[in-house]
Amino acid sequence: MTRFKRLVSRLNYTIRIIFTILLYSLTTGSMAATDHYFFSTNGYTQGDTALTTLSVHQETYKLIMRGDSADTTMPGAGIFEGMLTSQERQKIAIAYERAKEYGPLTPTPIIDQFIRSFYAKGDRIVKLDATVNIAPTNGALLVTVEFINTGREELCLRSPATWEGTYNPIAGSSWIAVSAKRSDTSGLRRDQRELRTGFFGGSAMLNASEFPNDLLCIPSMQTRTARFRVFPQASFKKGQYSIGASMVLRVVSPAELKGVIEMNSVNQMIEFPHDYPSTPNEIEAFSDYLRSKQQH
């Protein structure tokens, strides 16, 4: 009987130890799960260096969106903060468990609903957008890029005067490229329906002197404008075009957004009054440009 009691006592002790370990694991695991989550993804940019991150701490979230090259429904880049609903906290906890299976980068579909929601409703710490206009000027094309910050803090970029103007994601070079599609494409060949520039940057900039110290800083709720003289890759027809640009930029501040961002401009409609090139000045300038491309 005594031996039996000792066995029961040891069994009870073992059960208590196991229960204590399980209770501790469940409690600390629950605390970690509800206290802080972190997601990182490259599904919203063309490259793999401009990572979008989402962090959740208790009932608050912070979304650092470094661009949306793949889906123009969320143009621009920025930092968004806000409060979570109880339903969002529950869903994020589930998403966090799913994300653990994939390592450091979370597949976009797991967190897409949160990214889109927080992008739309979050308090904007900084929010950078861009619009592009283009018009024939002095034999070439004048590209005007307007940078807009609708956040509550100032945002600073490396000045466009420093942009390398070449596509090199490994080196992290900055560039911009403009494209436009003609509204009326009837009777036109495929190559006549679009307008495209190559990659360009600082060497094409016209107003670099407006941005000292190689910085383009945009205070809260203000805009800044960069102007470039460029050439299209091919001739194009007059008419109405939907125009936009893709670009890779380097953010200097705020610190949380510092580094490379990839973004699209907000598309808009413009009217070209005549074919390009059609004037003697345009024909000569465009011919010189094509010859210089062949030499390089």
Side-chain angles (χ1 to χ4, degrees), residues 34-39 54-62 84 89 92 118:
T34 57
D35 183 57
H36 187 78
Y37 307 108
F38 182 81
F39 305 89
L54 171 61
S55 59
V56 173
H57 182 69
Q58 296 179 347
E59 298 180 347
T60 64
Y61 66 82
K62 178 174 288 184
L84 294 167
R89 289 200 300 272
I92 283 178
F118 301 159

Side-chain angles (χ1 to χ4, degrees), residues 107-145:
T108 302
I110 292 178
I111 56 171
D112 185 65
Q113 62 175 312
F114 308 116
I115 299 293
R116 294 183 182 278
S117 175
F118 301 159
Y119 174 95
K121 71 178 183 179
D123 180 27
R124 298 178 172 189
I125 308 306
V126 293
K127 174 60 168 68
L128 178 66
D129 284 296
T131 61
V132 176
N133 201 350
I134 189 168
T137 305
N138 296 327
L141 301 177
L142 174 65
V143 173
T144 302
V145 184

Side-chain angles (χ1 to χ4, degrees), residues 20 34 41 50 55 63 72 80 118-119 130 154 193 211 213 220 253 269 280 282 291 294:
T20 302
T34 57
T41 182
S55 59
L63 170 64
T72 57
F80 309 84
F118 301 159
Y119 174 95
E154 182 179 68
R193 300 172 186 176
F211 307 107
N213 301 319
S220 171
S253 63
M269 299 300 297
E282 290 174 348
R291 279 194 294 270
Q294 293 173 352

Side-chain angles (χ1 to χ4, degrees), residues 16-263:
R16 287 199 302 271
I17 293 295
I18 293 173
F19 179 78
T20 302
I21 293 172
L22 286 174
L23 182 62
Y24 177 80
S25 299
L26 289 172
T27 303
T28 55
S30 175
M31 287 175 62
T34 57
D35 183 57
H36 187 78
Y37 307 108
F38 182 81
F39 305 89
S40 182
T41 182
N42 60 359
Y44 295 96
T45 57
Q46 293 175 346
D48 59 4
T49 56
L51 298 179
T52 288
T53 58
L54 171 61
S55 59
V56 173
H57 182 69
Q58 296 179 347
E59 298 180 347
T60 64
Y61 66 82
K62 178 174 288 184
L63 170 64
I64 301 179
M65 192 83 180
R66 291 184 171 86
D68 181 39
S69 298
D71 186 343
T72 57
T73 60
M74 295 187 292
I79 302 174
F80 309 84
E81 292 181 345
M83 300 293 295
L84 294 167
T85 66
S86 58
Q87 187 178 35
E88 286 171 337
R89 289 200 300 272
Q90 294 172 3
K91 289 183 176 180
I92 283 178
I94 296 171
Y96 184 71
E97 292 304 314
R98 290 181 60 199
K100 288 180 180 179
E101 303 174 12
Y102 297 93
L105 289 179
T106 301
T108 302
I110 292 178
I111 56 171
D112 185 65
Q113 62 175 312
F114 308 116
I115 299 293
R116 294 183 182 278
S117 175
F118 301 159
Y119 174 95
K121 71 178 183 179
D123 180 27
R124 298 178 172 189
I125 308 306
V126 293
K127 174 60 168 68
L128 178 66
D129 284 296
T131 61
V132 176
N133 201 350
I134 189 168
T137 305
N138 296 327
L141 301 177
L142 174 65
V143 173
T144 302
V145 184
E146 188 172 74
F147 295 101
I148 309 142
N149 176 18
T150 54
R152 67 170 188 246
E153 296 181 7
E154 182 179 68
L155 181 145
C156 290
L157 305 170
R158 291 293 307 277
S159 167
T162 70
W163 298 357
E164 294 82 0
T166 56
Y167 180 78
N168 190 333
I170 296 176
S173 62
S174 296
W175 50 265
I176 180 172
V178 176
S179 62
K181 292 185 177 180
R182 199 171 186 274
S183 299
D184 181 11
T185 60
S186 58
L188 296 177
R189 301 190 311 270
R190 181 180 296 274
D191 61 346
Q192 295 177 323
R193 300 172 186 176
E194 295 183 344
L195 180 165
R196 292 183 180 276
T197 71
F199 300 105
F200 60 92
S203 62
M205 191 178 183
L206 298 176
N207 62 328
S209 60
E210 295 179 17
F211 307 107
N213 301 319
D214 286 336
L215 289 177
L216 186 156
C217 292
I218 316 163
S220 171
M221 307 307 293
Q222 292 192 30
T223 65
R224 293 292 183 267
T225 302
R227 294 188 292 275
F228 304 87
R229 184 177 185 267
V230 301
F231 290 92
Q233 292 182 318
S235 60
F236 60 89
K237 297 292 185 180
K238 67 179 180 180
Q240 192 176 61
Y241 286 76
S242 172
I243 187 171
S246 57
M247 58 194 80
V248 171
L249 317 174
R250 290 190 293 266
V251 176
V252 176
S253 63
E256 288 180 302
L257 194 61
K258 186 176 181 179
V260 175
I261 61 174
E262 303 176 13
M263 54 181 274

